[in-house]
Amino acid sequence: MKRLTICAALMLLAGCSGNWGWYVVDPTTPKGLINLKFMLNGMYYTILLSVTAISISVVVGLLVALPGLSPKKGWRRFNRTYVEIVRAVPILVLILWVYYGLPTLTGITLNVFWAGVFALALSDSAFQAEIFRAGIQSVAKGQYEASQSISLSYRDTMRFVILPQAIRRILPALGNQLVYMMKMSSLVSVIGMQELTRKANELIVSEYRPLEIYTVLVLEYLVLILIVSAGVRWVERRLQASEI
Amino acid sequence: MSDPQTPIISMRNVSKFFGDFQALRDVNLDVRLGERVVICGPSGSGKSTLIRCINRLEAHESGEIIVDGTVLTDNPKNLDKIRGNVGMVFQQFNLFPHLTVIDNLTLGPRRVLGLSDADAKSRAMKYLERVQIPDQADKFPRQLSGGQQQRVAIARSLCMEPRILLFDEPTSALDPEMIAEVLEVMTELAASGMTMIVVTHEMGFARRVADTMVFMDKGEIVETGAPEDVFTAPKSKRFGTFLQQILNH
């Protein structure tokens, strides 16, 4: 049954309707090879954009999470306000606002790349903050008490005792977030970032083959994300092994 | 250095509330340098709260606690000074599960006392030998038995070289066959002159080691006395009933 389904899907892709034109991305022809390389070139910015954005959002997310765990009400309110506001804005809207709105408001013009990074990181930081908060809260109270009883400072307690345990627990969630970032980076194409989606759109304008080109685009994301997921699982396994 | 006659810990009219529940009622307690105090009492009587107030894991609402001449307040400088002098051993061990035994022991000396890696390590090995498990230095806590974990926890406190050690029901989470090895280490510590305040139901240990027995009930210190006196002739009815229950089970 499974084989039959795959067969049917392949026949559909192979173009039984006769309307398929795989020649646009056929690597055996010079033209197809050039087009394929053109599309794959977007990989660089998709990866750079999402990895830069998530590196920033992890740090910002942690810095927003910590006041959320404070016994002081004011700090917790700051955390809630930040998370609720940032989480409520769609990423696409944030990208457009940062690129077209921010320069008018502040006079600071970001280039396409940094506008994209800023918007993605800002949006993701709210989710990272929630992930970190949950992870830190999952560490037993006794760990803080033991740290206090040996006079460890707040910073050292976080750095050496709480965060190493919390990060192990939130690693699957952080991995999800990285995958999510890679997918959301496609939205930055609307302001002209030359990443995978933008490249595909540009090729379609000259080749008029959306079906084939978007299919390749789907495969590009699929391969990228499967590799990243495997990487995340590998890191998880290694951390678990080191804990025994 | 305080002279042995003046108390190293002094609690005056200490009260503590959890919401509407009064966990401590006007507690007065003096502990001399080198004194071994065992606190017992039914669960919920405030024993743990009392010793947790001494290193401010709990903050008391009224009254005064003076540890080695320093008044216990939220002032971080005072707090650091007091916590540097007071070690604590917990019921649930509270070892750091992601660190090896040796790293559990050296973290405080390195980060708080500023010892070099080599000095911290040799100090850690010294105390691991004292609790008789130097061979477990490179293992993770979860690879050890409960008794071994609690001995590591005791060594971790000792590595900070405190003048006072607090024990919060150190054997209550242990299987019966492991209680003896932990009590043995504690007895040895007591013999070395360490000032100890121990919350425990181990009455045999109390009888052997304690200079002073403290019986608490409903947040109050009901009776204080030398073990030989209170065990044979408890003055209060509540303590008498408690001793009967605990010794005849």
Side-chain angles (χ1 to χ4, degrees):
Chain A
M1 188 60 214
K2 202 172 155 195
R3 238 178 237 178
L4 268 175
T5 328
I6 293 170
C7 246
L10 278 179
M11 273 160 68
L12 214 89
L13 283 176
C16 8
S17 65
N19 284 334
W20 290 76
W22 285 109
Y23 66 90
V24 283
V25 288
D26 184 351
T28 55
T29 65
K31 183 82 195 306
L33 192 63
I34 288 167
N35 285 346
L36 207 56
K37 276 186 177 161
F38 178 79
M39 287 188 75
L40 282 169
N41 268 339
M43 198 67 97
Y44 173 72
Y45 274 121
T46 289
I47 294 172
L48 193 67
L49 195 63
S50 42
V51 170
T52 313
I54 202 161
S55 306
I56 295 170
S57 74
V58 163
V59 176
V60 176
L62 176 60
L63 291 178
V64 174
L66 291 177
L69 299 156
S70 164
K72 295 198 180 76
K73 222 179 187 169
W75 285 116
R76 286 206 306 275
R77 196 168 295 149
F78 161 77
N79 166 281
R80 290 326 303 162
T81 313
Y82 182 95
V83 169
E84 294 299 339
I85 289 178
V86 173
R87 220 167 35 174
V89 184
I91 298 184
L92 182 56
V93 176
L94 212 52
I95 292 168
L96 293 171
W97 190 83
V98 167
Y99 190 61
Y100 296 109
L102 202 62
T104 329
L105 195 68
T106 62
I108 306 164
T109 311
L110 296 172
N111 67 25
V112 174
F113 177 78
W114 286 107
V117 165
F118 183 75
L120 288 177
L122 182 63
S123 160
D124 195 45
S125 65
F127 294 93
Q128 297 286 3
E130 288 295 90
I131 292 170
F132 268 108
R133 193 168 63 93
I136 292 169
Q137 275 172 338
S138 78
V139 177
K141 201 169 145 246
Q143 295 290 309
Y144 291 93
E145 295 182 348
S147 308
Q148 279 172 13
S149 78
I150 57 168
S151 324
L152 222 52
S153 66
Y154 173 77
R155 258 189 72 165
D156 281 355
T157 302
M158 279 296 156
R159 181 171 158 204
F160 294 105
V161 179
I162 306 300
L163 286 178
Q165 296 183 59
I167 284 171
R168 259 160 245 232
R169 284 174 211 190
I170 64 180
L171 209 65
L174 290 184
N176 277 344
Q177 227 38 47
L178 176 59
V179 166
Y180 184 70
M181 258 312 80
M182 293 198 143
K183 295 198 279 187
M184 287 306 132
S185 69
S186 61
L187 294 175
V188 187
S189 63
V190 298
I191 55 172
M193 185 79 239
Q194 294 285 320
E195 44 64 73
L196 287 176
T197 306
R198 178 73 181 200
K199 291 278 185 189
N201 280 332
E202 285 183 359
L203 194 62
I204 287 165
V205 171
S206 57
E207 295 287 351
Y208 307 107
R209 278 289 171 190
L211 187 55
E212 294 77 6
I213 290 168
Y214 280 140
T215 306
V216 172
L217 182 62
V218 167
L219 292 176
E220 282 178 312
Y221 277 112
L222 198 64
V223 169
L224 177 65
I225 281 157
L226 287 179
I227 291 172
V228 169
S229 302
V232 170
R233 273 200 305 279
W234 180 76
V235 174
E236 265 173 58
R237 264 203 311 277
R238 262 195 50 153
L239 273 182
Q240 269 158 13
S242 77
E243 231 183 323
I244 304 174
Chain B
M1 283 278 129
S2 45
D3 94 83
Q5 295 313 310
T6 59
I8 190 163
I9 298 172
S10 177
M11 302 178 88
R12 289 281 160 266
N13 305 317
V14 173
S15 290
K16 162 83 192 161
F17 292 84
F18 291 113
D20 288 337
F21 176 73
Q22 188 165 6
L24 294 178
R25 293 167 196 268
D26 276 333
V27 168
N28 287 286
L29 182 70
D30 283 330
V31 180
R32 284 173 287 107
L33 189 66
E35 187 176 2
R36 279 91 61 170
V37 179
V38 169
I39 304 176
C40 64
S43 65
S45 60
K47 309 165 295 224
S48 292
T49 309
L50 187 146
I51 67 166
R52 287 163 62 84
C53 280
I54 296 174
N55 66 350
R56 212 173 180 79
L57 291 183
E58 307 287 357
H60 58 285
E61 267 102 26
S62 64
E64 191 176 52
I65 302 176
I66 301 171
V67 182
D68 203 12
T70 308
V71 181
L72 192 52
T73 59
D74 266 333
N75 179 342
K77 224 172 129 191
N78 284 2
L79 200 54
D80 278 350
K81 200 168 163 214
I82 287 173
R83 283 183 178 156
N85 271 332
V86 181
M88 187 169 213
V89 175
F90 300 88
Q91 182 177 354
Q92 300 297 339
F93 327 136
N94 294 347
L95 292 174
F96 306 131
H98 60 296
L99 299 178
T100 58
V101 167
I102 191 86
D103 290 343
N104 263 278
L105 266 61
T106 54
L107 182 60
R110 282 189 295 114
R111 302 298 306 182
V112 181
L113 307 178
L115 261 61
S116 71
D117 286 4
D119 288 350
K121 203 169 172 189
S122 72
R123 182 185 281 199
M125 288 313 294
K126 178 174 106 188
Y127 287 113
L128 275 183
E129 262 155 48
R130 186 137 171 216
V131 299
Q132 295 155 26
I133 38 174
D135 46 322
Q136 312 286 355
D138 295 320
K139 290 197 178 163
F140 284 92
R142 73 180 61 179
Q143 294 170 289
L144 305 182
S145 73
Q148 289 172 326
Q149 289 190 43
Q150 192 60 296
R151 286 190 279 153
V152 171
I154 293 171
R156 180 175 65 182
S157 298
L158 290 174
C159 275
M160 301 303 287
E161 311 210 312
R163 305 182 72 194
I164 304 157
L165 260 186
L166 310 171
F167 292 83
D168 189 4
E169 305 206 27
T171 56
S172 299
L174 295 175
D175 292 332
E177 73 270 22
M178 290 166 187
I179 292 177
E181 63 186 60
V182 171
L183 291 180
E184 190 191 323
V185 167
M186 290 168 62
T187 309
E188 195 266 325
L189 263 179
S192 76
M194 174 69 79
T195 310
M196 293 163 67
I197 304 181
V198 185
V199 173
T200 187
H201 294 295
E202 296 295 330
M203 288 303 132
F205 171 81
R207 212 186 271 262
R208 271 200 322 277
V209 168
D211 298 310
T212 310
M213 287 290 303
V214 171
F215 172 69
M216 288 186 73
D217 192 21
K218 301 193 174 101
E220 291 172 312
I221 293 184
V222 178
E223 193 167 338
T224 311
E228 54 269 30
D229 300 333
V230 295
F231 277 121
T232 45
K235 284 193 269 312
S236 62
K237 196 163 170 259
R238 276 192 277 179
F239 193 16
T241 320
F242 174 77
L243 280 176
Q244 259 173 6
Q245 282 168 348
I246 197 164
L247 295 174
N248 296 338
H249 68 85

